[in-house]
Amino acid sequence: MLALAGYFAGIVALSDLFNVRLGVELLTLVTAVAAITISRVPASFLSDWWIFLLGLLLWNLSGPIAAKSPFPVHLNFMLDLDHRLFFGHDAVGFLQHHLASRGHVRTLDVVTSLAYNLHLPEPYIAGYFLWRIDRVVYFRFVASALLLLVLGFITFILFPAMPPWLSSLRYDRPHDVFNGFNPFVHSHPLPFHGTPIFYVFKLSGDAVAAFPSEHAAFPLLEYLALRAAFGRRARPLLLWVGFVLFAIVYLGEHWVTDAIAGYVYALVIWAFVAWMTGASSRGLGTEAGERRESGRVAQRA
């Protein structure tokens, strides 16, 4: 497991160092190399991963499709609910006005942007570790992740939602909020290299896919899956869930309402998949997870 952790950490670090976005092409290659050279189970990788890799590829291609939604773009729902949650105040504006500085990239901007940029690699990396730890939980995670992506895609089409930075740019609501991720990308000494498939087919992402926040949903879904495998020992991962919430709001990429919706999607989908697969409520019960709770299962790379 240490070899896998070092491998994935190194890949992410190199991508950040050279300002390269880890797209579906590179991430598929990275996971395949891990299966062949570290875990040495290429046949099992093909049989267990093909549906997940296909789903993640389609997820990356779904943005340009959702961007052509014929439905009106929503703003007031998220803005008003955020104001109600924070007693008339705006969480995004509060964080940026107190902690950020437009035009300057500070340490907090770098750390939060790095966390934000892990959105695409996360399901690959979490999925791989789950696959090597507990295949039952892995398949439950795959089913939940794919269902989340499908329902998210449908929501993005039916309910296009404007993120805070774009709302501020167009309507000054909230006042003086900006996209905190772009300055980080452009401050890098090397040019940014995006996903090759977008360059080849001249695709562009969906700028109004804020609700629900899949940036918030995936860390929670990963925590639920790892809790099923490790029980209480997975609780420290809740710190990551909380930090990602802070990062996406601080950077102006999401409303708190978007994150809450993402959490609801993740919880309901995980509970539904667990119910459909007959998981018990205790630890969402896999046999391997219960054995691991008692310390009788050795980890394997």
Side-chain angles (χ1 to χ4, degrees), residues 65-220:
I65 298 173
K68 300 183 183 297
S69 169
F71 297 98
V73 178
H74 296 267
L75 167 61
N76 289 337
F77 173 75
M78 296 84 67
L79 183 62
D80 293 344
L81 190 53
D82 265 34
H83 283 169
R84 293 181 182 181
L85 288 171
F86 296 98
F87 306 100
H89 298 282
D90 179 73
V92 183
F94 178 85
L95 290 178
Q96 287 202 354
H97 297 162
H98 286 80
L99 300 175
S101 177
R102 184 188 288 271
H104 298 86
V105 178
R106 300 177 173 179
T107 302
L108 182 59
D109 303 310
V110 173
V111 175
T112 52
S113 294
L114 290 175
Y116 182 80
N117 206 30
L118 280 173
H119 176 52
L120 189 55
E122 263 192 277
Y124 289 86
I125 297 173
Y128 197 93
F129 277 100
L130 286 168
W131 179 56
R132 300 309 299 149
I133 293 167
D134 189 330
R135 287 178 72 244
V136 174
V137 177
Y138 162 74
F139 284 118
R140 195 174 301 147
F141 173 73
V142 168
S144 300
L146 295 181
L147 187 54
L148 170 64
L149 296 178
V150 170
L151 293 180
F153 173 62
I154 294 172
T155 307
F156 297 153
I157 292 177
L158 298 179
F159 192 85
M162 192 175 294
W165 70 265
L166 185 57
S167 170
S168 182
L169 181 66
R170 292 184 180 178
Y171 308 113
D172 198 33
R173 300 173 62 205
H175 174 65
D176 195 29
V177 164
F178 58 95
N179 185 328
F181 180 67
N182 282 347
F184 163 76
V185 172
H186 296 302
S187 68
H188 200 288
L190 297 177
F192 176 69
H193 300 282
T195 306
I197 196 170
F198 274 61
Y199 291 140
V200 172
F201 295 101
K202 298 180 180 179
L203 302 174
S204 58
D206 185 4
V208 288
F211 182 97
S213 170
E214 291 180 347
H215 276 84
F218 263 111
L220 180 58

Side-chain angles (χ1 to χ4, degrees), residues 12-31:
V12 171
L14 285 173
S15 70
D16 290 330
L17 180 63
F18 292 102
N19 209 16
V20 175
R21 180 172 176 79
L22 283 173
V24 290
E25 310 89 340
L26 286 175
L27 286 167
T28 299
L29 177 63
V30 163
T31 50

